[in-house]
Amino acid sequence: MKQIQEEILKLVSLLNKYSYEYYVEDNPQITDTEYDTLYKQLEKLEEKYPELILENSPTQRVGDRVLDEFEKITHKIPMLSLSNTFSTEDLIDFDARVSKLVPSENVEYICELKIDGLAISINYDNGKLVSAATRGDGTVGEDVTENIKTIFSIPKVLKDKRSFEVRGEVYLPKKSFNILNKEREENNEVLFANPRNAAAGSLRQLDSKITAKRRLSAFIYSIVGDDSIVSQENALNTAKEYELPVNPNFKLCKSIDEVIDYINYWTEHKQDLPYDIDGIVIKVNSYKVQEQIGFTQKSPRWATAYKFPEEELATKLLDVELSVGRTGIITPVAILDPIVISGSTVSKASLHNKDIIDDLDIHIGDMVVVKKAGEIIPKVVRVVKELRTEGSTKYQMPSNCPSCHQETYVKDNDPFTRCKNPDCPDQNIRKIIHFASRDALNIEGLGDKVVATLYDKGIICHTIDLYSLDRDKLIALERMGEKSVDNLLNAIEKSKESSLDKVIYALGILNVGKKAGKILAEKYVNLSNFMNATLEELINLDDVGQITAESILDYLSDDNNIKFINDLINIGMNPQYEINEIKSNNIFSGKTVVLTGKLVELTRNEAKEFLEKNGAKVTGSVTSKTDLVIAGEKAGSKLTKAEQLGIEVINEEQFANMVREVE
């Protein structure tokens, strides 16, 4: 029994970790298939040993915690998840369970495409769109009303004054996804891994203007709170009548055999669609029969989701290609004999690092099995060792950097092979690209290709060379006219005015992101002070920690890095962090403040910037440590919690008066 208990504990811990990465961070680390396999394993153990079910087991709730960036909305009727099926046998078992629960009924099913997006609930009152929320944990979601209003396919006003709630899926069409990633690439921004992540990130933007630019779309799949609707088919047709977006590919099936035929068709034709689907949803059509069948604690018994299996194919591994990042990490990529997986040609696949290569026992010339993680990113999952030939060669990570040919090294307890040469060409190119990127110094016109060209032509060797570019040499380059050269030189000159936090981030220190850059700027005020940072100082800063502190000190212990910072100072880039003289009667100084609701006079970002400049710490959630809550229009659960805890609350007018007093 102890062994079973430990196995359940391990599964719960793993699944909760993966759920957090998927639902909260929008950064899934495993495929849906792998997650579902672990989930079913846990379900079987809990069914057999109900006395060992843990309170925090993912089977005991629908989703995971909600982000704090938005107000929260409680769903009047929970948005439950669906059980999953993966095979024809599973579907036949599902049909048998349904038939057993309603033996007197001739059950019909509605089949719908399972859109790979983000579940949403939208409320219409008197014909007007009044609120919208994400699924969240199934009970409480995030208020994304303003963002939903930016989606053209969703009507703000219905054709009559009907009141109901509709539920559906927000998604990013393939065309929109490609356009978005192309724009991000041109702006030196991190690309989205897949349309689902892009849709989730777009819908969770605090600025609805950004959401509007993302070209999201939606499909509605149910109507809640309308007693006149008697079936799922009726609900879909009613939604169409109200010009709500409904996927046209649903089908009424008279038997489970027809359901299986429908699934087989879309398994073969899913790549023809202009959007991603990851399965088929099967629901009992009649609402009356649905009610008779009922629910489990977490999902309806009358519905299930068939998940498409991830396609795996074997091909020959021709070679291993290496790339060097700005921090010196050397990443191996498998070069494959091209194959078509899930509708696209794959000629490369990730091998990640030395440990993965060793675990797979990779040999050049091996037949390897490749699949797309989440049907997006190709990766090698195993080697077909039975087909290995005698002439194959075991692959080992190089002892010399593929870019500069200097010796490589591996840190203790670290799977990554690194180049430590500060003059490594590939590292330098990546460092310059990072330095000029939008979140760093935002040097317009200095994209990846331009940097590579300047480096290859010997015009620049290090980042500091950007500030001594020769105009004539630039004009002599292909596709570099006088206007574009002047714009580039002006942008480089303008970058000298960048704020200290952006300059620190632009240095490219391992583990130092935008947030850490701001914290370090507040602490050290200028670059000269920053170069003298100590471990004790760093680890005592909020949100820095031991690992980041050690990364900073490693960077500052390198003479080349110190020279680079001094060179920046010498060309006039030594911004002083603005320290405001805070009045003794300033109510915001030293306070922990929460902003909630819609502000009219100021944007949320403007209010946050003002508060931070005047000594306040702005957080996203109300706790016992909160000193003050500023409540705008339609303040929700944060206001309620503040009142329950007895925390001081002021409205926007009172806040505006205080702003004027401080100024």
Side-chain angles (χ1 to χ4, degrees):
M1 186 65 74
K2 184 178 179 182
Q3 184 179 347
I4 298 296
Q5 193 171 14
E6 288 177 355
E7 188 175 355
I8 288 176
L9 181 63
K10 184 177 180 180
L11 283 169
V12 168
S13 177
L14 268 177
L15 288 166
N16 284 338
K17 173 181 176 290
Y18 294 144
S19 292
Y20 184 89
E21 290 165 347
Y22 186 93
Y23 291 106
V24 179
E25 297 180 338
D26 289 324
N27 184 32
Q29 299 299 307
I30 62 169
T31 65
D32 288 353
T33 302
E34 290 169 325
Y35 181 96
D36 291 331
T37 300
L38 293 174
Y39 193 99
K40 279 188 169 291
Q41 187 179 343
L42 178 61
E43 275 187 322
K44 287 179 181 178
L45 287 173
E46 289 180 342
E47 184 178 352
K48 191 172 181 180
Y49 303 98
E51 70 276 14
L52 298 181
I53 295 176
L54 300 173
E55 286 185 14
N56 65 333
S57 171
T59 64
Q60 303 305 298
R61 56 180 176 175
V62 176
D64 222 311
R65 66 172 282 251
V66 181
L67 296 170
D68 288 319
E69 284 88 346
F70 296 91
E71 294 297 310
K72 296 176 183 177
I73 290 181
T74 300
H75 301 299
K76 293 178 182 177
I77 299 174
M79 295 183 71
L80 299 178
S81 62
L82 297 179
S83 63
N84 291 323
T85 54
F86 301 92
S87 64
T88 298
E89 290 74 17
D90 286 346
L91 290 168
I92 292 171
D93 289 345
F94 165 73
D95 180 54
R97 289 194 299 272
V98 168
S99 299
K100 187 176 180 180
L101 291 167
V102 284
S104 60
E105 299 288 346
N106 185 17
V107 177
E108 294 179 334
Y109 296 106
I110 283 282
C111 288
E112 303 167 55
L113 302 184
K114 187 175 181 296
I115 310 301
D116 195 10
L118 194 72
I120 198 78
S121 162
I122 305 171
N123 277 289
Y124 287 93
D125 185 23
N126 225 14
K128 293 184 178 181
L129 193 162
V130 294
S131 68
T134 62
R135 179 178 173 275
D137 65 359
T139 302
V140 179
E142 300 163 342
D143 185 345
V144 288
T145 307
E146 296 305 311
N147 290 345
I148 285 296
K149 288 179 179 178
T150 69
I151 300 176
F152 286 102
S153 59
I154 297 176
K156 293 182 180 179
V157 180
L158 300 177
K159 64 182 182 180
D160 68 25
K161 296 184 177 181
R162 206 161 168 178
S163 299
F164 50 53
E165 175 190 349
V166 298
R167 292 177 175 178
E169 199 85 3
V170 171
Y171 68 96
L172 195 66
K174 291 176 182 176
K175 184 177 179 180
S176 298
F177 174 71
N178 292 334
I179 292 171
L180 175 59
N181 260 355
K182 185 177 180 181
E183 291 172 351
R184 293 178 72 84
E185 183 177 14
E186 290 172 353
N187 293 325
N188 296 322
E189 295 176 317
V190 177
L191 303 186
F192 285 111
N194 54 58
R196 193 264 167 204
N197 282 8
S202 301
L203 195 60
R204 289 173 173 155
Q205 290 290 329
L206 291 173
D207 184 353
S208 60
K209 292 178 183 177
I210 296 175
T211 305
K213 294 177 182 177
R214 297 289 175 83
R215 308 172 185 90
L216 293 170
S217 194
F219 286 125
I220 300 303
Y221 54 68
S222 71
I223 296 177
V224 179
D226 190 323
D227 295 336
S228 67
I229 295 175
V230 298
S231 70
Q232 178 63 13
E233 184 181 35
N234 185 194
L236 294 171
N237 287 327
T238 300
K240 285 200 294 183
E241 288 173 15
Y242 280 87
E243 298 179 347
L244 290 159
V246 173
N247 190 285
N249 297 302
F250 67 88
K251 182 180 180 181
L252 179 65
C253 297
K254 304 291 185 181
S255 68
I256 199 66
D257 289 336
E258 288 188 22
V259 170
I260 293 169
D261 288 342
Y262 178 91
I263 288 171
N264 289 338
Y265 175 84
W266 284 110
T267 299
E268 185 177 344
H269 292 88
K270 61 182 177 176
Q271 294 300 328
D272 300 334
L273 294 165
Y275 45 82
D276 284 340
I277 62 173
D278 58 357
I280 304 295
V281 174
I282 304 104
K283 302 173 185 173
V284 170
N285 185 39
S286 166
Y287 281 7
K288 178 185 174 183
V289 177
Q290 286 183 11
E291 190 175 343
Q292 292 173 5
I293 295 171
F295 300 80
T296 66
Q297 185 177 356
K298 65 176 287 292
S299 61
R301 289 191 175 94
W302 42 264
T304 192
Y306 173 85
K307 303 292 287 290
F308 292 131
E310 291 177 327
E311 189 175 0
E312 295 184 352
L313 290 175
T315 188
K316 191 172 184 178
L317 189 149
L318 304 175
D319 201 354
V320 175
E321 188 177 86
L322 302 166
S323 64
V324 186
R326 65 179 172 84
T327 61
I329 291 177
I330 300 172
T331 303
V333 175
I335 305 302
L336 308 169
D337 193 6
I339 49 171
V340 177
I341 303 180
S342 301
S344 63
T345 302
V346 172
S347 58
K348 295 183 178 182
S350 174
L351 288 170
H352 300 291
N353 56 51
K354 174 183 176 294
D355 285 1
I356 298 295
I357 287 175
D358 290 344
D359 288 345
L360 291 171
D361 188 25
I362 292 289
H363 284 53
I364 302 298
D366 273 345
M367 289 298 293
V368 295
V369 176
V370 180
K371 75 173 181 181
K372 283 188 178 180
E375 297 197 347
I376 298 295
I377 303 169
K379 67 176 182 179
V380 176
V381 292
R382 63 181 178 275
V383 172
V384 186
K385 293 183 179 179
E386 296 82 358
L387 299 178
R388 178 175 289 165
T389 61
E390 290 184 6
S392 65
T393 307
K394 182 176 176 61
Y395 183 79
Q396 294 182 329
M397 287 296 288
S399 56
N400 296 94
C401 172
S403 176
C404 66
H405 309 297
Q406 296 289 318
E407 192 173 341
T408 61
Y409 72 105
V410 178
K411 292 182 178 180
D412 292 339
N413 302 315
D414 186 347
F416 297 105
T417 302
R418 302 170 187 266
C419 169
K420 57 184 176 183
N421 175 19
D423 290 320
C424 175
D426 283 1
Q427 281 190 66
N428 279 333
I429 289 173
R430 293 295 176 190
K431 286 175 183 176
I432 297 168
I433 289 170
H434 172 77
F435 186 83
S437 65
R438 173 171 289 187
D439 288 336
L441 300 197
N442 193 22
I443 303 177
E444 293 185 14
L446 198 63
D448 297 15
K449 291 180 180 178
V450 174
V451 171
T453 298
L454 295 178
Y455 198 94
D456 291 342
K457 298 291 184 182
I459 295 174
I460 57 175
C461 295
H462 301 283
T463 306
I464 197 65
D465 297 337
L466 293 172
Y467 296 95
S468 57
L469 287 173
D470 186 301
R471 184 175 182 273
D472 292 337
K473 287 184 178 180
L474 293 178
I475 291 174
L477 294 175
E478 189 177 351
R479 297 183 182 178
M480 291 288 280
E482 290 193 20
K483 186 176 180 180
S484 61
V485 167
D486 288 340
N487 288 340
L488 174 58
L489 292 174
N490 288 335
I492 292 171
E493 187 64 26
K494 185 180 177 182
S495 71
K496 293 180 182 179
E497 302 170 8
S498 300
S499 60
L500 181 60
D501 58 310
K502 289 186 176 292
V503 174
I504 291 175
Y505 173 65
L507 295 176
I509 303 170
L510 185 64
N511 298 317
V512 173
K514 292 183 291 182
K515 186 175 181 181
K518 187 170 184 179
I519 292 168
L520 293 167
E522 290 174 350
K523 168 65 178 175
Y524 292 104
V525 185
N526 59 45
L527 288 174
S528 301
N529 292 338
F530 174 60
M531 285 192 289
N532 295 314
T534 66
L535 181 61
E536 185 179 0
E537 289 172 348
L538 291 168
I539 61 176
N540 286 324
L541 292 176
D542 289 341
D543 300 317
V544 172
Q546 186 79 25
I547 293 175
T548 302
E550 289 176 356
S551 294
I552 293 168
L553 292 180
D554 281 346
Y555 181 91
L556 295 175
S557 67
D558 189 302
D559 291 341
N560 292 295
N561 295 331
I562 293 298
K563 181 180 183 303
F564 175 49
I565 296 175
N566 281 321
D567 286 343
L568 291 176
I569 294 172
N570 291 335
I571 63 165
M573 189 184 291
N574 190 18
Q576 301 290 306
Y577 187 79
E578 294 182 11
I579 302 177
N580 295 286
E581 290 187 12
I582 302 168
K583 298 177 182 178
S584 58
N585 62 347
N586 181 357
I587 189 174
F588 305 120
S589 178
K591 302 291 186 183
T592 299
V593 182
V594 172
L595 295 162
T596 183
K598 184 178 180 180
L599 301 179
V600 178
E601 290 193 30
L602 295 172
T603 66
R604 183 77 69 94
N605 285 338
E606 287 170 342
K608 182 180 179 183
E609 184 178 348
F610 171 84
L611 289 164
E612 289 178 341
K613 281 186 177 180
N614 284 278
K617 180 180 180 181
V618 181
T619 62
S621 57
V622 176
T623 70
S624 58
K625 294 181 180 180
T626 303
D627 298 303
L628 178 68
V629 171
I630 300 170
E633 295 177 3
K634 298 181 181 179
S637 58
K638 293 179 186 177
L639 174 59
T640 303
K641 188 170 182 180
E643 291 169 343
Q644 291 172 346
L645 294 173
I647 294 166
E648 181 182 359
V649 177
I650 61 173
N651 59 33
E652 186 176 7
E653 183 179 354
Q654 292 170 304
F655 175 52
N657 290 334
M658 291 177 178
V659 168
R660 285 187 280 272
E661 182 181 336
V662 170
E663 293 177 336

